[in-house]
């Protein structure tokens, strides 16, 4: 398909008259009258086709690339993008074009790219809660920046992250509507952002328990129940709640827990799984949890599926603890910094973080498993109350 992303935003802004290729069929046509148009070129059934993706004034380079990617997937499926676009436009013109309907259509077009195909509803949640109750019945062609501003203003500062997600995803819905051939204001979300102004909220960090207090809390978790055992396992591994709650027995072999790449946060498009070293204490927790396993999951919910993140948080609340489950990752990281000589890259790998570039990792080819296992045993000894001696961890060369 050839190289992609050849153009830059600065070049696009001052591009000379002519046609400029971004790669993989995406072109910018700069006209002599000062106007500019994005074009997607492709070949199907030995026929060369061109599809307009919008004017440069309305569609940025990033947006044009996103739109081109959408139509490349259609082409890859064996369908003619231009024919599909026209068919969609005809179908939509005869149907409901309310924001709610178009939002659902945009979601359906993208859910295959989302984790678990969007079944958890996270992508739609900001729109379902804060936008659609107010604007869902409005025809998307009539939607303007003032409507969007009024919908998001109540949460713009108090729930800044959620508001940003809602605005960004609303922009995707608007671009989807334009791709369907609907006459929408492609700049509506950017104009709304200008009307809303800068957010003045201060990010709130997740409450974390001081590493010195973790042993008392851990040792109080003496009930043999899925939620309690999951909490102990989460503390011992400092893994993310979602990965712990969805742990399957088939992912554990000897003292290694392997989390598939597709289940890792921030690893979209990567193929490398994450190996978590399991201390003897963690393996004992697994043995205690096995009698409760159901449907392949080690920590099942009461009725079906797995325990929820809220269930773990409520366990801490009932015990009078302000910290949240995710905060134990910070507890471990601080303990590593203050009580061990673990190199930065090893300490970061304890949390599944990537501290180097893809190039550096390609040459390094190690995940410091043995070093991390030694640290996991020390952490387990600390939280369980067993004695431990300082072990110097040296990075592999």
């Amino acid at each position: 398909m050839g190289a992609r992303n050849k153009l830059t935003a600065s070049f696009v802004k001052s591009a000379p008259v002519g046609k400029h290729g971004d790669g993989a069929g995406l072109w910018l046509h700069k006209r002599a009258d000062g106007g500019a148009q994005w074009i997607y070129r492709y070949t199907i059934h030995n026929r060369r086709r061109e599809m307009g993706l919008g004017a440069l004034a309305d569609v940025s380079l990033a947006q044009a690339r996103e739109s081109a990617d959408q139509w490349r997937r259609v082409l890859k499926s064996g369908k003619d993008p231009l024919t599909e676009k026209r068919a969609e436009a005809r179908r939509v013109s005869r149907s409901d074009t309310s924001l709610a309907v178009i939002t659902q259509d945009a979601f359906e077009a993208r859910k295959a790219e989302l984790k678990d195909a969007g079944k958890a509803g996270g992508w739609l949640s900001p729109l379902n809660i804060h936008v659609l109750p107010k604007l869902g019945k409005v025809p998307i062609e009539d939607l303007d920046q003032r409507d969007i501003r009024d919908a998001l203003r109540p949460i713009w500062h108090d729930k800044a992250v959620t508001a940003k997600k809602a605005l960004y995803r609303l922009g995707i819905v608007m671009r989807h509507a334009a791709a369907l051939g609907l006459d929408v204001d492609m700049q509506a979300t950017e104009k709304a952002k200008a009307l809303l102004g800068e957010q003045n909220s201060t990010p709130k960090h997740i409450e974390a328990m001081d590493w010195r207090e973790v042993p008392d809390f851990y040792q109080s978790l003496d009930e043999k129940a899925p939620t309690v055992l999951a909490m102990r396992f989460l503390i011992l591994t400092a893994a993310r709640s979602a990965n712990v709650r969805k742990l399957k027995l088939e992912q554990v072999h000897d003292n290694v827990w392997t989390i598939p790449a597709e289940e890792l946060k921030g690893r979209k498009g990567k193929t490398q799984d994450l190996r978590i070293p399991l201390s003897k204490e963690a393996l004992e927790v697994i043995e205690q949890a096995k009698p409760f396993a159901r449907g392949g999951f080690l920590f099942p919910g009461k009725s079906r599926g797995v325990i929820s993140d809220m269930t773990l948080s409520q366990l801490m609340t009932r015990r009078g603890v302000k910290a949240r489950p995710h905060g134990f990752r910070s507890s471990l990281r601080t303990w590593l910094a203050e009580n061990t000589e673990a190199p930065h890259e090893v300490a970061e790998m304890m949390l599944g973080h990537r501290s180097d570039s893809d190039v550096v990792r390609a040459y390094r080819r190690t995940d410091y498993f043995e070093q991390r296992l030694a640290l996991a045993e020390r952490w387990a000894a600390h939280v369980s109350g067993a004695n431990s001696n300082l072990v110097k961890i040296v990075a592999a060369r």
Side-chain angles (χ1 to χ4, degrees):
M1 186 172 285
R4 296 191 186 187
N5 303 343
K6 296 179 181 179
L7 303 180
T8 64
S10 58
F11 175 83
V12 166
K13 188 179 295 185
S14 57
V17 173
K19 294 183 179 180
H20 310 282
D22 187 53
L26 178 61
W27 290 79
L28 173 66
H29 181 195
K30 196 68 174 291
R31 301 192 304 272
D33 62 6
Q37 180 86 9
W38 292 107
I39 297 171
Y40 172 50
R41 288 179 179 173
Y42 62 96
T43 301
I44 187 169
H45 307 315
N46 294 321
R47 295 177 62 197
R48 187 173 181 177
R49 308 274 271 168
E50 286 192 356
M51 172 192 292
L53 300 181
L56 176 60
D58 297 325
V59 181
S60 68
L61 173 60
Q63 291 167 346
R65 286 172 176 168
E66 180 182 345
S67 182
D69 281 340
Q70 175 185 344
W71 294 114
R72 288 187 193 108
R73 290 191 290 272
V74 172
L75 180 63
K76 190 175 181 180
S77 71
K79 299 177 181 178
D80 186 334
L82 196 56
T83 301
E84 289 298 307
K85 181 179 180 181
R86 289 168 179 168
E88 283 289 321
R90 287 195 299 270
R91 189 178 76 248
V92 171
S93 67
R94 297 192 297 267
S95 62
D96 187 352
T97 62
S98 65
L99 177 62
V101 169
I102 303 301
T103 296
Q104 186 61 40
D105 194 59
F107 171 70
E108 292 295 329
R110 286 162 178 76
K111 69 178 183 180
E113 306 167 18
L114 305 176
K115 187 175 180 180
D116 296 327
K119 291 179 181 177
W123 195 91
L124 282 173
S125 181
L127 297 175
N128 282 339
I129 296 173
H130 302 290
V131 177
L132 296 183
K134 301 173 182 177
L135 303 175
K137 296 181 180 180
V138 177
I140 198 165
E141 302 98 324
D142 297 340
L143 201 63
D144 67 19
Q145 65 271 21
R146 288 161 297 199
D147 298 320
I148 299 171
R149 174 202 60 190
D150 294 344
L152 294 179
R153 184 156 49 188
I155 64 167
W156 188 245
H157 299 296
D158 295 339
K159 297 181 179 179
V161 174
T162 300
K164 281 186 176 180
K165 287 181 179 179
L167 190 64
Y168 174 73
R169 288 165 192 173
L170 188 55
I172 291 176
V173 173
M174 298 293 279
R175 291 194 292 277
H176 183 79
L180 291 174
L182 297 175
D183 184 16
V184 295
D185 182 356
M186 294 288 286
Q187 299 298 314
T189 53
E190 286 301 313
K191 294 174 185 175
K193 186 177 180 180
L195 292 176
L196 287 162
E198 292 294 327
Q199 292 177 316
N200 59 18
S201 63
T202 302
K204 295 180 180 179
H205 296 287
I206 295 174
E207 290 277 357
M209 187 178 293
D210 189 295
W211 61 265
R212 301 171 188 82
E213 300 174 3
V214 177
D216 286 341
F217 179 72
Y218 180 87
Q219 293 163 44
S220 74
L221 301 169
D222 52 8
E223 183 183 348
K224 300 298 185 293
T227 300
V228 176
L229 292 169
M231 181 66 76
R232 287 173 59 188
F233 192 79
L234 183 147
I235 293 171
L236 290 166
T237 60
R240 297 182 186 278
S241 170
N243 296 133
V244 171
R245 292 183 292 106
K246 297 178 182 179
L247 188 155
K248 295 181 179 179
L249 288 170
E250 64 192 41
Q251 296 174 347
V252 178
H253 297 282
D254 297 325
N255 63 349
V256 182
W257 169 28
T258 303
I259 305 176
E262 61 269 17
E263 296 183 10
L264 296 171
K265 183 176 182 180
R267 297 286 184 95
K268 185 176 181 181
K270 302 298 181 182
T271 57
Q272 187 174 5
D273 299 337
L274 176 64
R275 298 196 304 164
I276 303 291
L278 298 176
S279 63
K280 295 182 180 66
E281 180 79 8
L283 292 172
E284 176 59 27
V285 171
I286 290 177
E287 289 301 315
Q288 294 177 18
K290 281 183 178 179
F292 301 100
R294 187 175 67 245
F297 292 108
L298 191 63
F299 305 116
K302 288 185 178 180
S303 57
R304 61 179 181 177
V306 297
I307 58 175
S308 69
D309 190 44
M310 186 60 68
T311 301
L312 292 176
S313 296
Q314 288 173 344
L315 171 62
M316 301 185 76
T317 300
R318 287 196 301 271
R319 292 171 180 256
V321 177
K322 291 184 178 180
R324 299 295 89 186
H326 190 80
F328 287 114
R329 290 169 60 78
S330 176
S331 304
L332 170 62
R333 189 62 181 86
T334 307
W335 175 83
L336 286 168
E338 297 183 359
N339 294 274
T340 76
E341 297 179 23
H344 174 75
E345 59 269 28
V346 178
E348 286 297 293
M349 276 299 297
M350 289 290 288
L351 302 181
H353 289 165
R354 292 180 164 185
S355 57
D356 294 319
S357 68
D358 288 340
V359 173
V360 171
R361 286 194 299 274
Y363 281 96
R364 188 180 64 210
R365 297 187 181 181
T366 179
D367 63 357
Y368 306 109
F369 184 85
E370 294 302 326
Q371 294 98 319
R372 289 190 291 130
L373 178 58
L375 290 169
E377 292 289 2
R378 290 191 57 197
W379 174 246
H382 167 67
V383 302
S384 64
N387 293 326
S388 62
N389 297 315
L390 182 65
V391 176
K392 185 173 182 179
I393 307 296
V394 181
R397 298 293 180 185

